[in-house]
Amino acid sequence: MLKTAVALAVACACAPSLAQTPNEAAVELPELTNTATRGSRRVDDVPATVSVIKPSAAARDLRELLRGEVDLAVRAANPRFTLAGSAVGRAGNEGINIRGLEGNQVLMLVDGIRLPQSFSFGPFATGRSSLLNLEGAQQLEVLRGPASTQFGSDGLAGALALRTLRASDLIKPGQGFGLRAQAAGYSGDAGQGLNLAGAWSRGAWDWLLQGAARRSHELQNKGSVGGEGAARTLPDPLDRERHTLLVKAGYRPSSAQRLELTLEGVRQRDRFDVLSARSATTLGLKADDKSRRGRVSLGWTLDDPDAPWLQQASLQLYHQASRVAQYAYENRSSTDRARDNRYDEALTGLSAQGQWGWAAQRVTVGLDASRNTVSGLREGFNASAGDTLPSRPFPDTDYRLFGGFVQGEFAAGDWQFVPALRVERFSLKPSATGYSGDIVTLSDGAITPRLGLVWKAAPGWAPYAQWAQGFKAPTPSQVNSGFTNLAQGYKTIGNSRLKAERANSIELGLRGDIDGWRWQLAAFDNRYADFIQQQTVSGSGTTTDPLVFQYVNVDDARIRGLEARLHGQIGRQWRLGLALARSHGDYERAGVRRALDSVEPAKTSVSLRQQLSGWHWEATVLNAQAKSARRVDAKAPFLPAGYTVLDLAAAWQITPVWSLQARIDNVTDRRYWRWADVRGLSATGTALDAYTAPGRQFGLVLQATL
């Protein structure tokens, strides 16, 4: 039924417009970024690569929202986990991959507040993207390259920053009320969603309320084998419920100042029937996973361009609590067993910054401080041999960050210089309460400089360059990973000498804007030191001489690549976009260079859009090359073929209030695999079709705006 509705919607969107008069060529306004320099700046004036993205109701999650970015990827393998062994796919949308690095090596922010980190311990694996409030987002920015100078730890590869809705985003000039309602359906997971947002203003006060709910099922693939057991390639049944809430109250004590109180909540529940895990001894496996994030923040901003010394300032106090809980019950032919795992973070922090300028010069200073209480717990019954339940995978840890930065933005003729420097201290103080293993403490610091340069060489021509350093502090589970199983002959220990991972990045680029055509070429060379990996440091694997695992600094890595982007207007109706990205990465271990598997294959994207009065349609073709064996470290890896996928989208402004959006993904129903999802699979696997991407899918969004 949904397929028919979408087909009719596309037909209705297209047919009436053939006789309509085309619009004038759209004027593209300059995009502004606040992530690259922690201050409003034109993207074309930033000495780095930044994407500014407006979230779409048609995008179910972060992966779909970023699918047009050829140098980004989101890992989301098909869930095929087990109770005590594999964690494949259980983390959902695990996080964003930027130029070959991912996970906690990418900083993720919501309104300047860090998202919880990802964590894994055996079959327990938590993702990060499900905790994003995309339903309440107004803008999303992705910065490539180290972001530690701006934000401190974690931004080795870059940063993703999401800004939530404000009342001013919904209220039109001259009005005191704004409303937006969206109803969406998607055939790929049989999902339906409703998103409502309203805003009011009166005098110096304004309020915003946004809420969304979505129900869906397993995401379809191109598998064809049903039934039970490891040979199953159809997706395992899944029931998902997702709810988000955003509340804001704003007050302007003066025309230049604003106070804003924000409450935000995200909840998601996934219930699995893991048919693929059934066997002669496992009669059934069902899982119930819950994730939630809530935060309260109070912010003050000052924006007075005419002030003699302090033109802009901000102060934000916040508290954020999150939990990921994963429960699994296994019905066995012998004795049933269950696992109930939890990972919690409670983050409290403050961020402040001020900015002043004169002529074409500007200086920004800032201070960030946060305290994060991180804890984990493993419970259940009928533990594996040698294991003990309940237990903690790491001790409860007080994780503190404190840093300050200074940045200058100076212009001299056609040259713009953007130097910056940050000093950061971090400490991890574990608690012995409820933890049976040995514990170690760790504290250290980092100095991360950055220097950017933009040269306005000629009208429409602007070469740029940036050198930046970054760092990522060790996580509590890396510093103290204490687990002992003498029956199985192994244990893990902490490391008080663990050092932060570090990045040293150079990016050279050239931007152009000629006759309405904008383009960018970028080449980057990122070098990383002291990568943290868990290794065997001693032992033979017996009960009297167990293998000893420890997180240590072992690897140095290098990722380099080229990117190109071009988009512009063809006449008054047509718009063309081109993008390509190609990179290579390797790391060194014990003096041997090896391929870095997390680097994505080369990709190219071509889009064509026609804009007419009241409607538009767009076709996008994405090509991904095959990953060659010499670019993969694993032995006998599964190397899927390259692929080309066509997507279509259309939108119709039915009336000034009502609009309709429709999309068809993978129009040709192509069978293909995304590298991010199959990385690590063996070529001899028996259920490779279980990891295929979805076939042809349909989406529909009906929106009302007042």
Side-chain angles (χ1 to χ4, degrees):
M1 183 174 180
L2 179 60
K3 295 182 179 181
T4 304
V6 174
L8 290 174
V10 174
C12 293
C14 299
S17 56
L18 296 178
Q20 293 177 350
T21 304
N23 287 336
E24 295 294 329
V27 178
E28 186 174 1
L29 298 176
E31 293 179 328
L32 300 178
T33 174
N34 289 279
T35 304
T37 59
R38 281 188 65 161
S40 182
R41 191 176 178 90
R42 287 169 52 107
V43 169
D44 289 346
D45 293 336
V46 171
T49 300
V50 183
S51 295
V52 179
I53 301 167
K54 297 295 183 182
S56 168
R60 297 179 309 112
D61 52 30
L62 186 64
R63 161 179 275 180
E64 291 189 358
L65 185 62
L66 300 179
R67 61 185 175 181
E69 300 292 323
V70 292
D71 57 345
L72 306 177
V74 176
R75 180 175 172 86
N78 183 22
R80 288 176 68 87
F81 54 87
T82 60
L83 179 135
S86 171
V88 173
R90 195 160 191 185
N93 279 212
E94 296 184 12
I96 182 174
N97 182 309
I98 299 179
R99 289 178 173 174
L101 292 189
E102 58 191 10
N104 292 330
Q105 294 170 325
V106 174
L107 181 64
M108 299 182 72
L109 304 165
V110 176
D111 291 338
I113 301 170
R114 295 168 181 268
L115 274 185
Q117 295 195 329
S118 58
F119 169 74
S120 64
F121 186 91
F124 180 37
T126 70
R128 308 173 75 190
S129 299
S130 64
L131 297 174
L132 279 172
N133 183 6
L134 289 179
E135 296 85 350
Q138 173 62 18
Q139 180 170 293
L140 185 142
E141 297 181 24
V142 181
L143 170 67
R144 283 78 161 174
S148 295
T149 305
Q150 301 95 309
F151 302 103
S153 176
D154 298 353
L156 278 186
L160 181 150
L162 181 148
R163 178 177 75 79
T164 58
L165 280 168
R166 299 168 181 160
S168 57
D169 296 322
L170 296 178
I171 301 176
K172 299 177 181 179
Q175 297 185 2
F177 173 77
L179 176 67
R180 186 178 69 193
Q182 298 170 332
Y186 183 66
S187 69
D189 61 2
Q192 302 88 37
L194 181 65
N195 189 353
L196 301 175
W200 305 260
S201 65
R202 184 173 183 180
W205 289 89
D206 60 67
W207 300 266
L208 179 137
L209 177 62
Q210 177 270 328
R214 190 175 192 273
R215 294 177 181 269
S216 60
H217 301 280
E218 64 276 7
L219 183 64
Q220 298 302 309
N221 61 13
K222 295 293 287 182
S224 58
V225 179
E228 303 173 356
R232 177 185 175 90
T233 60
L234 289 174
D236 290 321
L238 163 66
D239 292 324
R240 171 170 292 165
E241 296 180 13
R242 179 175 172 83
H243 303 273
T244 64
L245 178 67
L246 179 66
V247 181
K248 291 189 177 184
Y251 174 70
R252 286 193 174 274
S254 69
S255 60
Q257 299 183 68
R258 176 177 172 82
L259 290 169
E260 186 171 83
L261 175 67
T262 301
L263 302 175
E264 183 192 15
V266 178
R267 287 179 178 269
Q268 182 168 305
R269 184 177 185 181
D270 296 336
R271 285 172 286 189
F272 301 89
D273 186 0
V274 192
L275 300 178
S276 60
R278 296 187 180 185
S279 65
T281 57
T282 301
L283 306 181
L285 174 61
K286 294 193 176 183
D288 190 351
D289 295 356
K290 301 175 183 178
S291 58
R292 68 173 189 256
R293 178 179 66 87
R295 62 114 170 179
V296 56
S297 61
L298 178 63
W300 168 81
T301 56
L302 170 71
D303 188 358
D304 188 359
D306 299 325
W309 66 282
L310 185 64
Q311 290 87 33
Q312 291 185 339
S314 64
L315 175 67
Q316 181 171 228
L317 298 169
Y318 57 87
H319 178 76
Q320 176 177 269
S322 64
R323 167 171 288 187
V324 177
Q326 296 180 351
Y327 176 82
Y329 178 84
E330 191 175 63
N331 180 13
R332 297 174 62 83
S333 58
S334 54
T335 304
D336 296 349
R337 57 181 180 173
R339 296 292 182 271
D340 191 0
N341 300 319
R342 299 197 303 270
Y343 176 79
D344 297 271
E345 290 192 14
L347 175 68
T348 302
L350 173 148
S351 62
Q353 72 178 58
Q355 186 179 97
W356 65 92
W358 62 97
Q361 325 305 326
R362 189 163 69 175
V363 174
T364 304
V365 296
L367 179 70
D368 299 287
S370 66
R371 175 183 178 180
N372 195 4
T373 301
V374 186
S375 62
L377 183 63
R378 302 171 58 247
E379 293 185 304
F381 60 84
N382 192 11
S384 302
D387 194 3
T388 301
L389 297 173
S391 66
R392 296 185 181 276
F394 59 89
D396 294 352
T397 303
D398 185 40
Y399 183 18
R400 302 190 182 192
L401 293 170
F402 182 83
F405 74 95
V406 58
Q407 173 185 271
E409 298 170 72
F410 307 118
D414 296 328
W415 296 84
Q416 297 182 22
F417 303 88
V418 188
L421 180 69
R422 186 182 188 92
V423 179
E424 184 104 355
R425 293 290 301 176
F426 63 87
S427 66
L428 294 92
K429 298 180 180 180
S431 169
T433 303
Y435 187 72
S436 58
D438 297 330
I439 61 174
V440 299
T441 61
L442 176 66
S443 62
D444 202 352
I447 298 176
T448 50
R450 178 169 56 89
L451 178 61
L453 173 68
V454 179
W455 177 31
K456 300 289 186 178
W461 293 81
Y464 70 89
Q466 178 174 257
W467 166 70
Q469 293 189 347
F471 80 101
K472 176 192 168 296
T475 65
S477 60
Q478 291 172 333
V479 175
N480 285 289
S481 180
F483 180 77
T484 300
N485 190 331
L486 296 180
Q488 301 294 329
Y490 70 92
K491 69 176 183 178
T492 62
I493 61 174
N495 187 354
S496 62
R497 297 184 299 276
L498 206 57
K499 297 183 291 184
E501 299 175 333
R502 297 183 179 271
N504 193 10
S505 170
I506 295 177
E507 179 173 336
L508 302 176
L510 177 63
R511 292 191 181 97
D513 188 348
I514 301 176
D515 294 332
W517 287 87
R518 299 177 62 187
W519 51 273
Q520 177 181 349
L521 300 174
F524 61 90
D525 189 347
N526 299 337
R527 298 173 185 261
Y528 306 97
D530 296 325
F531 267 12
I532 298 174
Q533 297 284 344
Q534 191 178 58
Q535 287 201 336
T536 304
V537 296
S538 65
S540 59
T542 66
T543 56
T544 57
D545 184 27
L547 293 172
V548 178
F549 296 95
Q550 186 181 46
Y551 282 99
V552 295
N553 299 101
V554 291
D555 298 336
D556 294 338
R558 183 183 183 188
I559 302 176
R560 53 230 180 259
L562 297 170
E563 298 169 2
R565 294 172 174 82
L566 168 70
H567 57 94
Q569 201 78 20
I570 305 175
R572 295 182 176 181
Q573 296 182 9
W574 298 91
R575 186 168 185 82
L576 178 68
L578 303 171
L580 62 90
R582 184 181 184 89
S583 57
H584 299 297
D586 51 48
Y587 70 99
E588 181 175 331
R589 179 177 294 175
V592 178
R593 302 299 296 186
R594 305 171 185 268
L596 195 61
D597 289 352
S598 58
V599 174
E600 285 285 299
K603 297 178 184 176
T604 304
S605 173
V606 181
S607 64
L608 182 64
R609 175 186 176 114
Q610 184 182 24
Q611 179 74 56
L612 294 173
S613 179
W615 78 285
H616 74 263
W617 71 272
E618 184 172 12
T620 302
V621 177
L622 175 66
N623 172 264
Q625 295 185 9
K627 193 83 169 178
S628 64
R630 63 189 181 91
R631 296 295 180 186
V632 180
D633 185 30
K635 296 181 180 179
F638 172 54
L639 298 173
Y643 60 87
T644 300
V645 177
L646 169 65
D647 298 334
L648 295 177
W652 178 25
Q653 190 67 45
I654 306 170
T655 71
V657 172
W658 294 94
S659 63
L660 189 67
Q661 301 175 48
R663 53 184 268 215
I664 307 176
D665 300 334
N666 193 1
V667 175
T668 60
D669 202 26
R670 177 70 183 269
R671 176 174 170 267
Y672 69 99
W673 292 263
R674 299 185 179 103
W675 174 249
D677 299 343
V678 302
R679 197 175 68 224
L681 294 181
S682 170
T684 59
T686 58
L688 295 176
D689 279 357
Y691 302 93
T692 50
R696 187 183 300 113
Q697 310 154 73
F698 302 85
L700 188 67
V701 179
L702 179 65
Q703 177 172 298
T705 305
L706 297 175

